[in-house]
Amino acid sequence: MINEYVRLLKARNWMKKNQPFLYSWHAYVGFELDLFSQFRSWKTVKEVASSRNLQEELLLRWVEVGLSIRHLKKKGKDKIKTASKFSLPSTPKNPRSTGIILKEMMELHIPTLLSYPELLRSNKKNTFDHEEHGPTVARTSSLLEQLALPRLMKTIKKNKMERIIDIGCGEGGYLSRISQKFPQAKLAGVEMNEEVADSARTNCKDIPNIKIVTADVHEYSPEHQADLIMVNNLLHYIQPEDRKQLLSRLKGWLSRKGSITIITPILHSKKGEEFSSVFNSFFSAFENLYPTPTEEDIHQIAKELKLKVKTFKPVVTEGGWYFIQLSNR
């Protein structure tokens, strides 16, 4: 009898711990199908299902979950409206919608983590498809911009940096924002994924001081020395034993006063250890992704390359993401 009671307590405990997943799942479906916009004004399930050619019964079930967790609200017998506009993701048409992180989590992170039993049994790993997932990852990376930009802007202004290179520039978010503040700076973005690079060119087409290059960092060489080289959300694509070589190559591009800035999750970080450990569980499930460095790794590489660690501070405390500045002086 006692054992059965304990079993029940454990089951109820796991149900409670998984309850937050309902919020993420509901928000993801709403974002992917742009349902929160559809219910911006009072509508019935039948009206939305008909206008969007959706299966009415499944839409009704989604609505019922939304009402129970208060993402949606109800008026009368069947009128539904979006309730939590502030906390919910905006339309997927918005390139800066926070829903993109739900998309990456639901379509990439969670399926990968659920494959762990099979990966452990088979002693195999997945292969990360840069072409398929590159655009989504580039958009989620842009969510770091708002938090990282103040540190970058301060670094650029303080050191009077005029030539800046963004390695793995994504869709050009950092470069376009920097150009607004420093219109005289010469900015270059290097992006290996052709589709992402094309998006960066489109986003930066009206900014004359930005040049986007499609190239592998190991094959690219800049025309001029750089005062700042940015390496954002990139180290997990580089094998740990090759990171020193990469940073050594980048150091060779630096001017005498130049710096390399790195934004990355830190393994065993003092802040956000839970998420940083999950990030590394995800990365380690792929044969072409790699665990992120520890703080000790960064300091050791800097010492060997005779670079000074000027800054090592968290930018997303919950996720263990850090802003690091390595300088020639």
Side-chain angles (χ1 to χ4, degrees):
M1 184 65 178
I2 294 178
N3 287 340
E4 287 299 308
Y5 185 69
V6 170
R7 187 168 73 99
L8 179 60
L9 285 177
K10 287 182 178 180
R12 294 180 65 182
N13 181 53
W14 283 115
M15 288 181 69
K16 290 179 181 179
K17 286 186 175 181
N18 279 278
Q19 188 172 346
F21 179 77
L22 299 178
Y23 294 82
S24 298
W25 170 80
H26 189 269
Y28 161 70
V29 175
F31 167 77
E32 187 69 10
L33 297 177
D34 203 13
L35 293 174
F36 297 120
S37 294
Q38 293 298 310
F39 284 107
R40 188 170 289 137
S41 58
W42 293 105
K43 292 180 181 176
T44 66
V45 170
K46 183 180 288 295
E47 287 172 337
V48 172
S50 176
S51 66
R52 297 299 301 276
N53 195 27
L54 300 174
Q55 188 176 152
E56 185 177 340
E57 182 184 1
L58 293 186
L59 180 60
L60 175 60
R61 300 299 167 239
W62 179 84
V63 165
E64 289 171 347
V65 174
L67 292 171
S68 70
I69 61 177
R70 298 178 182 173
H71 282 176
L72 304 172
K73 55 186 177 182
K74 188 175 183 179
K75 180 174 72 172
K77 184 178 180 181
D78 56 2
K79 293 288 186 178
I80 306 297
K81 186 177 181 181
T82 299
S84 307
K85 293 180 181 179
F86 177 77
S87 61
L88 293 173
S90 62
T91 173
K93 297 176 183 177
N94 177 3
R96 301 185 68 81
S97 174
T98 55
I100 195 65
I101 198 167
L102 290 167
K103 184 177 180 68
E104 180 175 321
M105 179 177 70
M106 290 295 190
E107 297 181 6
L108 187 56
H109 291 177
I110 290 178
T112 298
L113 295 174
L114 289 176
S115 73
Y116 249 65
E118 181 58 31
L119 293 176
L120 287 166
R121 283 192 291 261
S122 66
N123 199 29
K124 295 180 180 178
K125 290 191 175 186
N126 297 323
T127 301
F128 184 80
D129 189 330
H130 293 275
E131 295 299 320
E132 179 182 359
H133 299 297
T136 297
V137 171
R139 288 185 64 190
T140 56
S141 298
S142 71
L143 293 172
L144 290 168
E145 289 174 20
Q146 195 66 32
L147 295 170
L149 272 168
R151 296 192 186 278
L152 279 170
M153 298 296 192
K154 182 178 179 180
T155 299
I156 294 168
K157 182 178 180 180
K158 181 179 179 180
N159 296 281
K160 300 179 180 179
M161 294 169 165
E162 298 176 350
R163 293 187 180 275
I164 299 170
I165 301 174
D166 188 359
I167 303 299
C169 67
E171 296 183 333
Y174 282 101
L175 294 175
S176 61
R177 299 284 288 278
I178 290 171
S179 71
Q180 294 173 16
K181 186 81 171 180
F182 304 99
Q184 303 306 316
K186 304 296 183 183
L187 308 173
V190 182
E191 174 57 53
M192 184 171 65
N193 185 294
E194 182 67 47
E195 182 179 349
V196 175
D198 285 342
S199 293
R201 291 187 188 95
T202 299
N203 294 338
C204 302
K205 65 180 180 180
D206 297 323
I207 309 175
N209 61 328
I210 296 179
K211 180 180 180 181
I212 304 297
V213 179
T214 305
D216 187 317
V217 64
H218 300 290
E219 300 172 359
Y220 170 81
S221 293
E223 298 176 1
H224 305 279
Q225 286 188 316
D227 300 318
L228 173 64
I229 299 174
M230 300 186 293
V231 182
N232 300 328
N233 199 24
L234 188 66
L235 290 187
H236 53 272
Y237 295 112
I238 310 297
Q239 294 189 51
E241 58 268 25
D242 293 337
R243 289 170 186 162
K244 177 184 172 182
Q245 179 183 359
L246 170 65
L247 292 175
S248 177
R249 178 175 174 79
L250 299 184
K251 181 187 176 183
W253 301 352
L254 290 177
S255 63
R256 188 176 64 174
K257 66 177 182 179
S259 291
I260 300 170
T261 57
I262 300 170
I263 298 175
T264 182
I266 291 295
L267 183 59
H268 309 313
S269 61
K270 297 175 183 177
K271 304 287 186 179
E273 183 177 4
E274 298 91 342
F275 269 103
S276 68
S277 63
V278 171
F279 283 140
N280 280 285
S281 297
F282 169 77
F283 296 146
S284 296
F286 294 89
E287 61 183 5
N288 53 343
L289 297 181
Y290 310 97
T292 54
T294 64
E295 183 173 352
E296 292 75 16
D297 292 335
I298 295 293
H299 280 276
Q300 183 61 37
I301 291 175
K303 181 179 179 180
E304 293 177 8
L305 296 180
K306 297 182 179 179
L307 290 168
K308 182 180 179 181
V309 182
K310 296 190 71 173
T311 307
F312 202 107
K313 295 183 178 179
V315 288
V316 183
T317 304
E318 298 84 356
W321 289 84
Y322 279 72
F323 177 87
I324 304 159
Q325 181 186 357
L326 308 179
S327 178
N328 261 336
R329 64 181 187 183

